Amino acid sequence: MKKKKKKAQLPIRINILFFVVFLLFSVLILQLGVVQILNGEDFQEEIERTNLDTTSIPVPRGKIYDRNGNVIVDNEAEYSITYTPPKGVQAEDRLEVAEDLAKYIVMDDKDTLEGITERNKKEYWYLLNKKEADKRISAEDAEDMENAEVYNATLDKITEEEISDFSKQELEVIAIKKELDKAYSLTPQIVKNENVSTEEYATIAEHLDELPGINATTDWNREYSFGETLTSLLGSISSQEQGIPAGEEDSYLTKGYSRNDRVGKSGLELQYEDLLRGRKEQIQYTTKKDGTVIDSKTVVEGQRGKDLVLTIDMEFQQEVDKIVEEELKAAKKEHPYENQYLTDALAVVMDPNTGELLAISASHYNEETKEYEDSGFRALSDAHTPGSVVKGATILAGLDSGAIKPGQSFYDRPIEIKDSPTFRSYSTGLGSMTDITALKKSSNVYMFYVALRMMGENRYPFPSKEIPRFDSNTLQVLRNYYQQFGLGVATGIDYPHESTGYTGTSNSPGLTMFQAIGQYDQYTALQLAQYASTIANDGYRVRPHFLKEAREPIASQDELGPLYKTVNTDVLNKIDIDDNYLDRVQEGFRQVFQEQGGTAYSYFKDADYKAAGKTGTAEVGYYKDGKKLGRYFEP
């Protein structure tokens, strides 16, 4: 009986087991139903997610301030319509977007419509008449051509008559499509950012769901708070259409730029591009195999560029500009014949101890337009004959080389050299000169004797109509001394381009003597400023610079952000000359301005400050189209 009872219990256990298995299978079937029916589409999209693409959104450039915190260059916000195409977008898709967008914006300004090319029209006509156009190239002809060749051959078959009668509305569509065609996948391209009306901006924003890839956003343009002041040195930036410089794509692309990014093209905008550019906002897109964007997120927050603080004092700069232009106008008006060839007045104001540039100014008389132009860049690029300004370097060269001794005197009388013009000073009554008084009264004859003695000619007074002894290395020796002061070499300024002046290619006793009075090689106004500063700074030549410091950008419009970088004084070299000799030249420069008989005394005797320096007037030839028209004096 006990055995029978046990056998009766076995089927019950099996039934329980089957029931549990049934429940498990039911749960599994239910879960499969949930996965396939309720979440099937989401999981299918997840499966099809194959690409994560990151694109970078440009940010506004950093601002530029003067040394007193006044904004020089700002960013002016403006409405902008942009297009960000998904991956794999086709020409037909862009045309459809262009047609829809044309309903809400106007693209009828003259420059835009005139910018439509014949090819733009043919491409538009092709999309509207694709089947008919494709028939114009036979299958046999197409067989031996690449797809691009077939396309171009098809466009060639479109006649001028077929593209000659587009309506104004169609031309606007073509103009929009032209901008859409420039866009790179997942990268914003500006469609319109000039004269976007409030109504256009609002209408686009309301219809974004109908315009795939289109966005109503804001763009910026550079705004100059002081008008044209300093703009020739500040430089310019490219438009989005111009993008990064042609020929330098690889360099810019490796730095994270896009091809249509706006970058500095010249001046300080180019020099400090790395600081001004800012950090782009980076957006990561998740796309399906067909290029459709199904998700996006910001992975790097954007930040506008660093703000630059320049050494320039803009109010002072404006005053210098005014004086320079007034002096040029006055010179041409008061002495029209003598100054008929005079075209430029230039000024550089530099702290000799630090190299900070307080003002750089140049006024240029345009002979074609008869207008005076603000062109400060000429102080860095244009070389001029300096005249007697360089005599301080000549005296130091003579003293250091042993050609003359401190206080040595020469009587200022004309020197006659065989087969050469007479070598004389501007006046015949200067009398006996020492190294110091020769600077004070600007004696040419004294400098001629310095050059003669450096050449190995020690006869004094020099015999009339004789040929001097001549060491052909003397001219280069003299130049080597000048270069210690920055004459004939790069100043080291923080600017993309500067001239190192002009160096004559001939060599003779007469040219060496002319070099000693500043009548041979040519220098820029900036080089002359560095030369004078080196003498003022006890022989230390410092690098001139525009940048004082860089600051982190902040949201406030009224204050500068935290300090990012500061520019310290950079000593390029100390002139290798006895300090006692330098003292004598400094004294000569002081007497030029402060003592009666000095060449600048009459102009500065009533000044409420003590000036020092060296005057100079160069006699130069004026050439046009390779023909010498005359000579004039350049102070």
Side-chain angles (χ1 to χ4, degrees):
M1 292 296 292
K2 289 181 180 179
K3 289 180 179 180
K4 287 182 180 180
K5 191 173 182 179
K6 288 180 181 179
K7 287 181 180 180
Q9 291 174 345
L10 289 176
I12 295 174
R13 293 178 178 178
I14 292 174
N15 289 335
I16 294 172
L17 180 60
F18 281 141
F19 181 71
V20 171
V21 171
F22 171 76
L23 288 177
L24 292 174
F25 270 104
S26 298
V27 172
L28 181 60
I29 292 170
L30 180 62
Q31 184 63 29
L32 288 173
V34 170
V35 169
Q36 292 192 7
I37 298 172
L38 297 180
N39 298 325
E41 186 176 343
D42 292 338
F43 286 131
Q44 185 63 34
E45 287 184 354
E46 189 69 30
I47 292 170
E48 291 178 351
R49 291 185 186 184
T50 57
N51 289 316
L52 288 175
D53 295 290
T54 302
T55 187
S56 299
I57 310 299
V59 295
R61 292 172 75 80
K63 301 178 183 181
I64 301 178
Y65 295 80
D66 80 345
R67 66 185 301 113
N68 300 315
N70 299 309
V71 178
I72 304 174
V73 185
D74 205 342
N75 298 309
E76 181 181 21
E78 58 182 16
Y79 289 137
S80 178
I81 308 302
T82 65
Y83 174 59
T84 306
K87 295 177 69 175
V89 67
Q90 301 300 310
E92 292 84 357
D93 302 322
R94 292 193 294 270
L95 175 58
E96 185 177 344
V97 173
E99 290 174 333
D100 291 339
L101 188 56
K103 301 173 185 176
Y104 307 118
I105 66 173
V106 176
M107 298 282 283
D108 63 353
D109 64 275
K110 184 178 179 182
D111 290 339
T112 299
L113 296 183
E114 288 182 353
I116 297 174
T117 64
E118 181 182 273
R119 184 179 178 89
N120 297 146
K121 295 178 180 180
K122 286 186 175 182
E123 289 177 339
Y124 176 70
W125 189 93
Y126 173 79
L127 291 174
L128 297 179
N129 305 274
K130 192 170 185 300
K131 290 184 178 180
E132 178 185 341
D134 287 340
K135 293 177 183 178
R136 299 182 181 184
I137 301 296
S138 68
E140 293 179 358
D141 292 338
E143 192 173 320
D144 297 327
M145 292 190 288
E146 299 288 339
N147 290 339
E149 294 174 327
V150 173
Y151 179 67
N152 288 328
T154 303
L155 293 183
D156 290 339
K157 296 288 185 180
I158 301 173
T159 66
E160 289 188 16
E161 184 179 354
E162 289 172 323
I163 62 171
S164 63
D165 60 348
F166 289 127
S167 66
K168 179 174 173 293
Q169 181 68 19
E170 287 176 310
L171 290 174
E172 290 194 52
V173 172
I174 295 172
I176 293 173
K177 182 180 176 297
K178 177 184 176 182
E179 299 304 319
L180 302 187
D181 288 342
K182 297 176 184 176
Y184 298 95
S185 297
L186 305 178
T187 301
Q189 165 70 31
I190 293 175
V191 180
K192 181 179 180 181
N193 67 345
E194 293 183 4
N195 302 317
V196 177
S197 68
T198 304
E199 183 180 353
E200 285 177 320
Y201 183 84
T203 304
I204 293 295
E206 290 176 7
H207 295 85
L208 290 179
D209 57 335
E210 305 169 15
L211 302 165
I214 297 297
N215 192 21
T217 181
T218 56
D219 192 23
W220 52 270
N221 267 326
R222 286 308 227 182
E223 182 181 41
Y224 299 91
S225 306
F226 289 82
E228 296 296 318
T229 303
L230 207 68
T231 53
S232 69
L233 289 165
L234 293 170
S236 61
I237 61 174
S238 65
S239 64
Q240 189 181 60
E241 187 173 57
Q242 294 168 330
I244 57 179
E248 299 181 44
E249 290 92 344
D250 291 344
S251 173
Y252 277 87
L253 293 175
T254 56
K255 295 178 182 178
Y257 286 86
S258 300
R259 294 183 184 277
N260 59 357
D261 279 349
R262 302 167 70 183
V263 299
K265 294 197 302 182
S266 61
L268 295 175
E269 292 276 15
L270 172 59
Q271 178 72 25
Y272 288 109
E273 170 65 24
D274 289 345
L275 290 174
L276 290 167
R277 63 179 290 202
R279 183 182 67 221
K280 290 184 176 182
E281 179 176 308
Q282 294 186 22
I283 299 177
Q284 188 178 77
Y285 293 95
T286 304
T287 61
K288 296 195 294 186
K289 288 183 179 180
D290 63 0
T292 304
V293 177
I294 57 177
D295 189 27
S296 66
K297 63 178 179 179
T298 300
V299 293
V300 175
E301 294 289 341
Q303 184 184 64
R304 71 173 174 85
K306 303 287 190 297
D307 294 330
L308 305 186
V309 178
L310 303 185
T311 60
I312 297 290
D313 182 326
M314 286 301 284
E315 291 185 5
F316 180 60
Q317 174 74 46
Q318 289 180 315
E319 288 299 317
V320 173
D321 286 345
K322 180 181 177 182
I323 293 170
V324 168
E325 183 175 326
E326 287 176 349
E327 290 298 318
L328 180 58
K329 287 180 177 179
K332 293 187 72 66
K333 181 179 179 180
E334 294 172 11
H335 305 283
Y337 179 77
E338 294 86 346
N339 293 325
Q340 60 182 307
Y341 304 124
L342 182 64
T343 57
D344 295 280
L346 308 97
V348 175
V349 185
M350 170 179 164
D351 185 329
N353 300 304
T354 65
E356 292 185 350
L357 294 164
L358 304 180
I360 287 190
S361 180
S363 181
H364 175 72
Y365 177 70
N366 188 318
E367 294 181 313
E368 294 183 359
T369 64
K370 309 301 180 185
E371 298 289 336
Y372 290 87
E373 301 170 348
D374 185 354
S375 51
F377 70 92
R378 293 179 182 275
L380 284 66
S381 65
D382 290 8
H384 297 269
T385 306
S388 297
V389 172
V390 303
K391 288 178 178 176
T394 301
I395 291 293
L396 287 169
L399 290 169
D400 186 70
S401 66
I404 59 172
K405 299 183 185 307
Q408 185 168 355
S409 64
F410 297 106
Y411 196 86
D412 191 297
R413 62 169 60 90
I415 298 174
E416 300 285 349
I417 294 178
K418 185 178 180 180
D419 300 327
S420 297
T422 302
F423 291 80
R424 66 175 72 243
S425 296
Y426 67 93
S427 172
T428 58
L430 296 182
S432 181
M433 296 280 104
T434 66
D435 50 346
I436 293 177
T437 57
L439 292 173
K440 174 183 177 180
K441 298 188 176 183
S442 200
S443 168
N444 286 346
V445 171
Y446 196 96
M447 307 303 152
F448 293 147
Y449 275 114
V450 171
L452 285 168
R453 295 206 164 200
M454 289 181 69
M455 290 189 293
E457 176 55 74
N458 292 313
R459 288 177 288 179
Y460 174 78
F462 183 78
S464 179
K465 302 296 184 179
E466 292 286 332
I467 298 175
R469 298 181 182 89
F470 176 55
D471 182 345
S472 60
N473 294 320
T474 303
L475 181 57
Q476 186 56 51
V477 171
L478 201 54
R479 284 172 174 156
N480 292 343
Y481 276 106
Y482 286 10
Q483 288 173 5
Q484 292 188 54
F485 298 91
L487 298 175
V489 295
T491 65
I493 189 172
D494 51 341
Y495 201 76
H497 308 289
E498 69 160 320
S499 170
T500 55
Y502 168 79
T503 301
T505 56
S506 299
N507 191 359
S508 70
L511 292 176
T512 303
M513 293 169 72
F514 280 129
Q515 176 76 353
I517 63 168
Q519 285 283 167
Y520 189 33
D521 290 351
Q522 297 180 332
Y523 312 114
T524 66
L526 181 64
Q527 287 176 316
L528 291 171
Q530 189 180 54
Y531 150 75
S533 293
T534 303
I535 292 176
N537 195 29
D538 296 330
Y540 289 93
R541 182 168 76 102
V542 298
R543 182 178 65 85
H545 57 98
F546 283 108
L547 183 63
K548 185 177 180 68
E549 59 193 28
R551 296 274 183 163
E552 294 284 0
I554 58 174
S556 172
Q557 299 293 317
D558 302 322
E559 59 180 319
L560 290 164
L563 184 65
Y564 172 78
K565 172 186 176 181
T566 187
V567 178
N568 297 317
T569 301
D570 182 10
V571 177
L572 299 177
N573 63 272
K574 169 74 165 67
I575 58 173
D576 189 20
I577 293 175
D578 192 309
D579 288 345
N580 292 325
Y581 299 155
L582 187 61
D583 291 342
R584 298 188 67 83
V585 171
Q586 290 176 339
E587 174 58 22
F589 278 21
R590 185 194 69 79
Q591 292 186 17
V592 168
F593 282 75
Q594 297 181 30
E595 289 196 3
Q596 191 168 0
T599 53
Y601 178 73
S602 62
Y603 299 99
F604 288 85
K605 62 181 179 180
D606 296 324
D608 56 1
Y609 55 90
K610 299 297 184 181
K614 184 70 189 75
T615 60
T617 302
E619 185 179 357
V620 296
Y622 181 79
Y623 295 83
K624 188 172 183 180
D625 299 327
K627 182 179 179 181
K628 185 176 180 179
L629 300 181
R631 299 182 69 83
Y632 72 102
F633 292 95
E634 189 175 72

